[in-house]
Amino acid sequence: MQAEADAQADLPEGEDGQVDAEVMFAGRPSLFGLIPAFIKGLIMLALLWLLIKFPDENMFNNRFGLSYSEELAITIGRYREIVGWALGGVVIFGILFKAFYLKMIYYEVSSDRIEWSRGIFDRRVDNLDMFRVIDLKLRRSIFDCMFGIGTVALMTTDKSDPDFVFEKIRNCRELY
């Protein structure tokens, strides 16, 4: 009786919270998969901070022999700051959107099929029958190895998803 309860506790929970005895793997992509994008975003934000913080109007005026008024230099400085703040907001929004979109993906693998749901505003659920899987590959970058995640790619005969990819999954070796 206790062994059955322990076995039931080890089964993955579905997206709706129900325990499905047939499901072999269930999960969402890990946010650690965004580490390279996060690093690129931080570099971009640092460059934008330099754009905002250090005035370049006088340097361009002196270097290229341009002679524009102080009022024009102030106007250019204001536009430079507005563009810097706007691009910084776009970078931050892009990273947050990627993180939110990544966490809205959900995979369930059973012995018969793979169910894949995704979408933020429009939730779509697709499935892929296991008999259509031809080959599978496991890919792990250096960041993936450091954080215990990986990408499993399937080559299938399915017309809608000929190259199905499990993005940045924890326990990727188990799934593989």
Side-chain angles (χ1 to χ4, degrees), residues 15 23 28 38 43-44 49 54-55 60 64 70 81-82 87-88 102 109 116 124 130 139 159 162 164 168-169 175:
E15 188 173 18
V23 174
R28 297 182 187 279
F38 185 71
I43 291 170
M44 187 65 169
W49 181 79
F54 296 111
F60 285 118
F64 297 114
E70 191 66 32
E81 288 181 7
I82 290 170
L87 289 176
L102 195 66
V109 179
W116 175 44
R124 293 177 305 224
M130 285 300 224
R139 291 188 310 249
K159 295 202 186 296
F164 185 81
K168 308 300 180 184
I169 296 291
L175 175 63

Side-chain angles (χ1 to χ4, degrees), residues 9-114:
D10 290 340
L11 293 175
E13 281 188 11
E15 188 173 18
D16 55 1
Q18 298 289 330
V19 175
D20 191 357
E22 195 176 297
V23 174
M24 296 186 303
F25 178 85
R28 297 182 187 279
S30 174
L31 284 178
F32 285 123
L34 291 177
I35 295 288
F38 185 71
I39 290 171
K40 290 175 193 172
L42 284 178
I43 291 170
M44 187 65 169
L45 287 174
L47 291 175
L48 290 172
W49 181 79
L50 290 174
L51 176 73
I52 292 169
K53 204 64 175 161
F54 296 111
D56 295 331
E57 294 82 26
N58 293 332
M59 181 183 74
F60 285 118
N61 196 7
N62 294 337
R63 182 182 279 293
F64 297 114
L66 302 173
S67 58
Y68 47 80
S69 67
E70 191 66 32
E71 183 178 315
L72 182 61
I74 291 171
T75 305
I76 291 172
R78 286 183 186 150
Y79 283 127
R80 177 182 46 79
E81 288 181 7
I82 290 170
V83 166
W85 286 111
L87 289 176
V90 167
V91 168
I92 290 171
F93 179 76
I95 291 173
L96 291 175
F97 183 79
K98 281 183 180 183
F100 191 64
Y101 185 77
L102 195 66
K103 291 314 274 184
M104 294 306 295
I105 297 172
Y106 182 75
Y107 303 110
E108 267 189 17
V109 179
S110 67
S111 59
D112 297 334
R113 70 175 42 148
I114 299 167

